[in-house]
Amino acid sequence: MTVAEFATKKVVSTTMILIFMIFAGWVAMTGMKQERIPDFDIPIVVINATWTGATAEDVKTQVSKKLEDAALNVDGIKNITTSSSYGSSVVMIEFNYGVDTDIKQVQVQTQIDKIKGQLPDDDNFKDPTVSKMDATGSSNMALMIGITGENKQLITSFAEETLQPRLKRNRGIGNISIMGNATRQIKVWLDPARLKEYNLSAAEIYSKIKAANTVTPAGTITDGTKEFILKVDGELKELDQIQDIIISNQNNQTVRLADVAKVEYGTEDPTSYVTYNGKEMVAVMIQKSKDGNLVEVAKKAKETLKEAKPLFPEGSNYNIIVDNSEKVSESIKNVASSGIQAVIITIIVLFVFLKNLRASLVVGTLIPISAMFTFFLLTTQGITLNMISLMGLSLAVGSLVDNGVVTLDNIFDHIQINKEPADVAAVRGTNEVILPMMASTATSVCVFLPIILFEGITKEVFKSIAFSMMFALSASIIVAMLWVPMASSLFLDVKKISDNAEKADRFNAFRDKYKELVAKVLGNSWKMVIGIVIAFVVVVFGIGKTVKTTFFPTIDDNQYSVVATLATGLDLDVSKDIANKMEAVVKADPATKDINVLASKDAAVINVDVKKDTMKAMNRVREKLKDLPNVTLAVSPQKAGGRSSQKDYSFQIEGDDPQELNRIANAIMADMKSQSWFKDVKSSTEGGYPQAKLEVDRVKAESYGITVTDITQMLFMTASGSANPIDVTQSTETLDVVLELEKNQKNSLNKIMDLEIKTNKGTYVRLGDIATMQYEESASTISTENGTRIVTIGANLDSSKGFNDAAAFIQQSFKKTNPAEGYKIGVAGQAKNQSEMGGQIMKDLLLAIVLIYTVLAVQLESFILPLMIMTTLPLSMIGVILGLAITRVQLSMFVMIGILMLFGMAVNNAIVMLDFVAGLRKKGWTIHDALVEACGSRLRPILMTTLTTVLGWLPMVFSSKGSSGYYQGMAIAVMFGLSFCTVLTLFFTPVLYSLVEERKERKQKEKEEKRRQGKEEERKGYTK
């Protein structure tokens, strides 16, 4: 019993199978995790270390180098990079794809633990943390909430002590960070004069405060029949208790802390400043955990906010500034919309050709059934609902009806031509096309196999698309083999279909004209071949040069950011002033809708939501801000969270001498800035940190009994503002107690040099008497890769230029600098990712071609015919390049995946056509007549499948907003490429087939003639 016979004879069983597919898909879909992008498993382990106050040079030698040397003891390292900046060390260890990153993280942690004793040993240094790289970054953020009100301290306390714990209770919520906060502290303002008056030092004050706050268990004691736990409660809780701490008690003179310092409530020195549409606020950013459902997390957080509204400080309010769950919901709506559009388009196209509404509805229902079962199959591989997987499903929707169209058209032929009843036509019509349908589906599926089989960045990024396409197309052929024959046998009106065949005068006339054209083309075969070859050379090697390349397409998401990187060493007020100037320019732009300002000491960030025309707004703002002094500006079409913003194109210069590196970098940057199409050019070494370095006269210092450690400790406890001996808990709030000099005592370097340090003899010596101060500028960042010093330069590109233009220009500029021997240049950032991913996709493409050939050879039982069919693969690039050139869409990695998908689909129509030709030739038809008849017979299903697919993608071609912008390039590549492939299938494939088969037939006749002549001569010789 064939599948078609099963479907038509066992209607109940077939119906239950289809119901199960729908129900299983619905259950799977409702339980799938929803997120913006999937959790990429990037094989990179990151070591972070903080050494507050240390220069980049000291961080490199004392921290980064030691961490790097320790990490090198781990096997399987591909690359190791270090980045040393003011107070921070980052070491990134990259492994080959396919390794277990969790195991590598443990191994790295083990090596770091072994050398902890070699790392700086002071209170400013925090132990290194080892973690896996989070590739999703800001995509994990579910919500950003802005709380406004009059009392910033109360709002901060509420956010930290009330709101944050309530949000944390919700399942799936990960990190919660707060910006623009005014965290309450207890300030202990030290007065050097009063300390000297009472013969005290800052270190003694620190120790006394720390010793005064203690809770010590004292064991247990039994009193009668009860046992009591003894506890000495020395915990400080109130401000007056801290003020009354006894510092000394000599000669009946009691000195309290309040006698030598001013103790009061205050706030932590601000590190950030946040506003929304001009109103200062406290921002709360909520991220999902690794296993969290972004949409569910956002929903629960909103519910928590509503529940907590009565608890908000009086006069305060909140706004949701960013809601990334809306983008996920938008992607899901796009897929649903694409599905509905595809159903409508399919029904219209089929009705135009078949003139039968029932038949059109039969094929139209293939889409929802196949799509639902695809969700079930995706869950078996752990695929989530994200932008990438939904992109694959959106693209697959246009192809889900192809098998159904071919099957239904053949059933119609059996009804209209052979005059068979519906049930017989359903079985025979389906059986005839099952094998070519399976072969065509196999070619479409197998092109994605290399992506999921081979480890690499391509698999991590695009496996969701690959699985979506493979499962959707596999589901569609199952549904086509079951649903179409069953529904056709039950619902088709044979009489009406037969009558419509006689009325199809227009299509019949069109088909006759087409058959005449095919006959003419077959008579001029070599002209056709030469014409196609010329077109290929002109388009690919001529027009192809005008197509620009990029990594990922630039998306108009109705938002952009302006990031002003400040020279290091400036305070927050400078950043706020710059942010206000930038905000005024952005606010005046007519496209601006909402403005969110994030200012820190090293950067001013303006995130903007626009009404329309994002790119035009960006250009206007960039032009108006280009002369803003003392900043490096970057304008990007996505929101930013800090000074680092992703550049369109980045590269790095490698060498040993920092001065030579900077010379080369500065020369290249000057060349780049002279070109208007390079925007926001920035180097990783820009913005050195001003440094005041104390040179201690050790001989003098030792004569007073003072060590370098004593000086460092004194400065830390007085000037840093981060000396924190104890914390106190008041109600639900925990306050830091912080020691520092009064502001007017440390507002200049001269006053620091006038500070006095207590000797071991109880006397005081001025710091300036035992040390001198040197002024210099330290590097902002020192980076290395595999032990070699590097400088990274990045820039945004004008829309008229691509990666290929940037690479050629920079390579030429590098040669002009006449670099010393051993210095080289290489891609970085997105350009490096494009190079690596592009190479992998090309390998996947080559393997896909081999797999396509294998499927065709097995199906056609021929070595030659598959090669003829596959000539459409390279020739389809004519359509792809024309499409990209006409629409001015850049060749991105998404377009490359679209080309891969196109290669799987390009041969489908040819398979069905040549299978029909083979059947006719077995019946004795000549090659010429069989081709003409097969082309005419297959014209309708070829046109129907192409139109339903191409028209199904048409909305994506005209949509560049939001996540749809990623689909656009893929849809253009496949739509134009498939359209041209259809023309090739209708005209060029018959020509190739005729040339090959007629030559084969001539050779066969020649062989037979030689054999006949040989036998004739043999017979004559025997007669003689």
Side-chain angles (χ1 to χ4, degrees), residues 257-411:
L257 180 60
D259 296 328
V260 295
K262 182 168 67 175
V263 184
E264 64 182 6
Y265 288 114
T267 59
E268 181 182 336
D269 290 342
T271 58
S272 59
Y273 166 78
V274 186
T275 69
Y276 183 66
N277 290 335
K279 292 184 179 179
E280 191 171 353
M281 68 179 190
V282 175
V284 181
M285 284 165 283
I286 304 167
Q287 290 186 307
K288 77 175 189 68
S289 64
K290 182 176 177 62
D291 299 321
N293 183 326
L294 190 141
V295 174
E296 190 64 24
V297 164
K299 180 183 176 184
K300 291 292 184 184
K302 291 174 189 175
E303 292 174 357
T304 301
L305 284 168
K306 288 181 180 179
E307 292 171 2
K309 190 67 175 71
L311 304 176
F312 272 64
E314 187 176 353
S316 65
N317 203 354
Y318 74 88
N319 292 297
I320 295 176
I321 311 301
V322 178
D323 184 358
N324 281 331
S325 67
E326 292 179 350
K327 295 183 178 179
V328 179
S329 300
E330 176 199 347
S331 295
I332 295 173
K333 288 177 182 177
N334 285 341
V335 173
S337 175
S338 297
I340 294 170
Q341 288 172 358
V343 170
I344 294 171
I345 289 169
T346 298
I347 292 172
I348 293 172
V349 170
L350 266 62
F351 184 76
V352 168
F353 280 93
L354 302 178
K355 300 293 189 296
N356 190 292
L357 183 59
R358 290 186 186 181
S360 303
L361 291 173
V362 166
V363 176
T365 52
L366 279 170
I367 293 176
I369 299 174
S370 302
M372 289 303 293
F373 192 58
T374 301
F375 289 118
F376 170 75
L377 295 174
L378 287 174
T379 57
T380 64
Q381 298 300 317
I383 304 297
T384 62
L385 282 179
N386 57 70
M387 187 185 72
I388 307 294
S389 61
L390 291 171
M391 187 184 303
L393 197 54
S394 293
L395 291 168
V397 161
S399 306
L400 292 181
V401 297
D402 287 1
N403 291 317
V405 169
V406 172
T407 305
L408 186 67
D409 181 77
N410 211 41
I411 291 171

Side-chain angles (χ1 to χ4, degrees), residues 88-253:
S88 173
S89 169
V90 179
V91 180
M92 299 180 67
I93 308 139
E94 181 184 0
F95 299 90
N96 289 313
Y97 281 89
V99 303
D100 189 326
T101 316
D102 291 320
I103 293 176
K104 291 301 178 183
Q105 179 185 351
V106 173
Q107 291 176 349
V108 172
Q109 182 69 67
T110 301
Q111 296 301 322
I112 298 304
D113 290 341
K114 290 179 182 179
I115 56 107
K116 279 186 176 179
Q118 303 174 27
L119 298 173
D121 183 20
D122 62 53
D123 292 338
N124 291 334
F125 183 77
K126 305 298 181 185
D127 284 341
T129 60
V130 181
S131 60
K132 294 191 298 182
M133 182 179 180
D134 181 11
T136 55
S138 61
S139 296
N140 274 337
M141 187 173 75
L143 289 178
M144 177 177 174
I145 305 157
I147 307 176
T148 56
E150 295 179 0
N151 194 324
K152 199 173 180 181
Q153 289 186 27
L154 277 180
I155 291 173
T156 301
S157 297
F158 168 76
E160 293 176 344
E161 308 298 336
T162 303
L163 184 60
Q164 187 171 2
R166 285 173 173 263
L167 289 169
K168 278 281 190 182
R169 295 173 198 161
N170 294 319
R171 182 181 176 185
I173 287 185
N175 185 48
I176 297 176
S177 53
I178 300 174
M179 289 185 65
N181 48 322
T183 304
R184 293 179 69 220
Q185 291 181 332
I186 293 178
K187 296 282 192 179
V188 179
W189 299 105
L190 299 176
D191 183 344
R194 295 172 75 182
L195 287 176
K196 186 175 182 180
E197 179 184 343
Y198 288 102
N199 196 31
L200 294 168
S201 68
E204 290 170 324
I205 302 294
Y206 185 95
S207 299
K208 289 291 184 180
I209 295 175
K210 192 167 186 177
N213 186 59
T214 180
V215 177
T216 309
T220 59
I221 188 169
T222 303
D223 184 356
T225 59
K226 290 185 177 181
E227 185 177 70
F228 292 88
I229 298 173
L230 288 180
K231 181 178 77 169
V232 179
D233 189 0
E235 183 178 10
L236 301 174
K237 295 183 179 180
E238 301 299 331
L239 182 67
D240 56 359
Q241 292 178 315
I242 297 171
Q243 292 171 330
D244 290 338
I245 292 175
I246 305 299
I247 302 300
S248 67
N249 190 3
Q250 295 179 352
N251 302 323
N252 294 323
Q253 183 180 15

Side-chain angles (χ1 to χ4, degrees), residues 793-945:
I793 299 173
N796 292 322
L797 304 179
D798 188 86
S799 59
S800 64
K801 301 292 182 178
F803 280 15
N804 43 353
D805 301 300
F809 180 88
I810 289 163
Q811 191 64 43
Q812 188 64 31
S813 178
F814 177 68
K815 290 179 181 178
K816 282 169 51 182
T817 64
N818 193 24
E821 187 176 350
Y823 289 79
K824 57 183 181 179
I825 195 168
V827 290
Q830 291 198 83
K832 184 177 181 180
N833 291 336
Q834 187 215 30
S835 177
E836 183 178 346
M837 188 181 288
Q840 291 179 8
I841 291 178
M842 288 305 297
K843 290 178 182 177
D844 293 342
L845 200 58
L846 291 174
L847 182 56
I849 290 172
V850 174
L851 291 172
I852 291 171
Y853 177 81
T854 303
V855 171
L856 294 177
V858 171
Q859 166 64 18
L860 301 173
E861 194 57 35
S862 169
F863 293 112
I864 304 299
L865 286 179
L867 293 176
M868 289 192 311
I869 294 175
M870 290 175 65
T871 54
T872 57
L873 300 186
L875 295 177
S876 65
M877 293 303 298
I878 297 175
V880 173
I881 291 173
L882 283 175
L884 296 177
I886 292 169
T887 59
R888 296 187 178 182
V889 171
Q890 294 182 331
L891 179 63
S892 67
M893 292 301 103
F894 284 98
V895 174
M896 291 288 285
I897 294 297
I899 293 172
L900 192 68
M901 177 183 174
L902 171 64
F903 276 23
M905 302 169 61
V907 298
N908 291 351
N909 288 326
I911 292 173
V912 178
M913 177 187 286
L914 294 188
D915 184 77
F916 196 82
V917 172
L920 293 175
R921 290 188 65 192
K922 286 178 183 179
K923 296 177 181 178
W925 290 54
T926 64
I927 294 174
H928 182 278
D929 292 345
L931 282 170
V932 173
E933 181 61 27
C935 287
S937 177
R938 295 295 93 193
L939 177 62
R940 186 170 64 184
I942 288 174
L943 290 178
M944 285 194 294
T945 54

